[in-house]
Amino acid sequence: MAQQEIERKFLVKGDYKRFVSKETKIVQGFLCTVPERTVRVRIKGDKGFLTIKGIGNESGTSRYEFEKEIAVADAKDLMKICEPGVIDKTRYIVKANNELFFEVDEFYGENEGLTIAELELPSEDTAFEKPTWLGEEVTGDVRYFNAMLMKNPYKNWD
Amino acid sequence: MAQQEIERKFLVKGDYKRFVSKETKIVQGFLCTVPERTVRVRIKGDKGFLTIKGIGNESGTSRYEFEKEIAVADAKDLMKICEPGVIDKTRYIVKANNELFFEVDEFYGENEGLTIAELELPSEDTAFEKPTWLGEEVTGDVRYFNAMLMKNPYKNWD
């Protein structure tokens, strides 16, 4: 049985930066974003990656994923032939309780001004303490998907 | 200045198999075939490859290409999420004159019955001896492009 991961997504309303344990610069683009498969090029810190994902199964619990590390120079070249709308962000790791961590993404470029916090939970009923800097929950809101932020960036929202 | 490679393509009308110096099984599929970029998965002999090509420049003489060897098991998994119409063929290397080699592709599956010989020439006026087994020239005929043979395979031709 595939394990279902629960991911909850929130806006950020306060200062989380003094709780940050790690930060990584991420730049990513997509070579392919059809419903059946995506091909992503990513530079994460000082490493390059190519990630290919297939369509999920009917219940959405599992999705084929292939990831291969590539040279940063190759990732930069591949970024040039990606679909328009490269995503540029810093990912901050912020400790929550119970061995859990928030991934807080601060966006730049066309998505400047947007910061999203994500929390992966082992199950839907896992309790966690809401830190004071955590804002409105936006889990499931498609506008905040990375693929959507490329096509309709935050700067264009009303 | 980028070097332009001249590729001439021919049908095959006679027995070339006794001149073969090497043969390799090739299975390939595409994750993406838009005009701006292609992402190809290939199993060639006992090796797997992922090949990404960008759009050509205006004169068509150069095209960005990235190739990375991957595990055959990964290539097989990726093949499952490719666009419909995987290409299955054996590539035979047949010596021509002047250090030149024909690549003769014998197709299977939906393209069973089709055999194409390709010759790469350093320039348009390079002379070469036409072997007796070489048939009609089909250079530039889009029906014989691999991407077209996926979408409209030989078995469907009139």
Side-chain angles (χ1 to χ4, degrees), chain A residues 48-60:
Chain A
F49 297 95
L50 199 58
T51 308
I52 301 170
K53 295 184 190 182
I55 196 166
N57 62 3
E58 268 178 57
S59 66

Side-chain angles (χ1 to χ4, degrees), chain A residues 31 37 64 77 81 83, chain B residues 31 37 64 74 77 81 83:
Chain A
L31 290 160
R37 65 199 82 85
Y64 171 72
D77 282 341
I81 60 162
E83 293 176 1
Chain B
L31 290 160
R37 64 199 82 85
Y64 171 73
D74 286 331
D77 282 341
I81 60 163
E83 294 176 0

Side-chain angles (χ1 to χ4, degrees), chain B residues 28-41:
Chain B
Q28 68 185 35
F30 284 88
L31 290 160
C32 172
T33 52
V34 297
E36 293 80 11
R37 64 199 82 85
T38 58
V39 181
R40 188 183 71 196
V41 183

Side-chain angles (χ1 to χ4, degrees), chain A:
Chain A
M1 279 273 292
Q3 184 75 31
Q4 182 163 16
E5 241 166 25
I6 309 300
E7 203 171 71
R8 294 179 67 178
K9 202 178 274 195
F10 301 85
L11 297 181
V12 166
K13 64 173 183 184
D15 177 30
Y16 61 90
K17 286 215 174 149
R18 57 203 163 113
F19 307 112
V20 165
S21 61
K22 191 184 166 193
E23 66 177 87
T24 315
K25 189 87 168 60
I26 295 175
V27 184
Q28 68 185 34
F30 284 89
L31 290 160
C32 172
T33 54
V34 296
E36 292 80 12
R37 65 199 82 85
T38 59
V39 181
R40 188 184 71 196
V41 183
R42 181 181 255 190
I43 299 171
K44 191 174 177 185
D46 57 357
K47 289 182 173 175
F49 297 95
L50 199 58
T51 308
I52 301 170
K53 295 184 190 182
I55 196 166
N57 62 3
E58 268 178 57
S59 66
T61 48
S62 77
R63 193 178 182 198
Y64 171 72
E65 182 172 331
F66 166 83
E67 187 162 75
K68 181 97 181 161
E69 191 176 336
I70 60 173
V72 169
D74 286 331
K76 281 184 179 162
D77 282 341
L78 288 168
M79 216 73 87
K80 289 178 200 152
I81 60 162
C82 276
E83 293 176 1
V86 161
I87 294 279
D88 186 358
K89 62 188 181 187
T90 295
R91 172 164 294 174
Y92 299 97
I93 303 298
V94 181
K95 204 178 176 321
N97 63 348
N98 295 334
E99 308 291 309
L100 299 173
F101 291 86
F102 285 96
E103 291 180 344
V104 181
D105 285 351
E106 188 179 89
F107 291 82
Y108 310 115
E110 292 294 294
N111 287 295
E112 182 86 48
L114 180 64
T115 303
I116 300 171
E118 277 186 19
L119 181 65
E120 266 182 18
L121 296 171
S123 74
E124 272 180 74
D125 52 5
T126 305
F128 72 99
E129 241 170 83
K130 238 180 145 179
T132 55
W133 52 265
L134 208 64
E136 185 197 340
E137 181 157 8
V138 294
T139 305
D141 186 332
V142 293
R143 290 178 304 163
Y144 296 98
F145 290 6
N146 274 283
M148 280 303 288
L149 291 174
M150 287 165 51
K151 284 162 194 171
N152 181 29
Y154 188 62
K155 283 208 163 172
N156 297 349
W157 298 12
D158 291 329

Side-chain angles (χ1 to χ4, degrees), chain B residues 87-156:
Chain B
I87 293 279
D88 186 357
K89 62 190 180 184
T90 294
R91 172 163 293 173
Y92 298 97
I93 304 297
V94 181
K95 205 178 175 319
N97 63 345
N98 295 334
E99 308 292 309
L100 299 173
F101 290 86
F102 285 96
E103 290 180 345
V104 181
D105 284 351
E106 187 178 272
F107 292 83
Y108 310 114
E110 292 294 294
N111 287 294
E112 181 86 49
L114 180 64
T115 304
I116 299 172
E118 276 186 18
L119 182 63
E120 265 182 20
L121 297 170
S123 73
E124 273 181 73
D125 52 6
T126 306
F128 72 97
E129 242 171 79
K130 240 181 143 178
T132 54
W133 51 265
L134 208 65
E136 186 196 340
E137 181 156 7
V138 293
T139 304
D141 187 333
V142 293
R143 291 179 303 164
Y144 296 97
F145 291 6
N146 274 284
M148 280 302 289
L149 291 175
M150 286 165 52
K151 283 162 195 173
N152 182 27
Y154 188 64
K155 282 210 164 172
N156 297 348

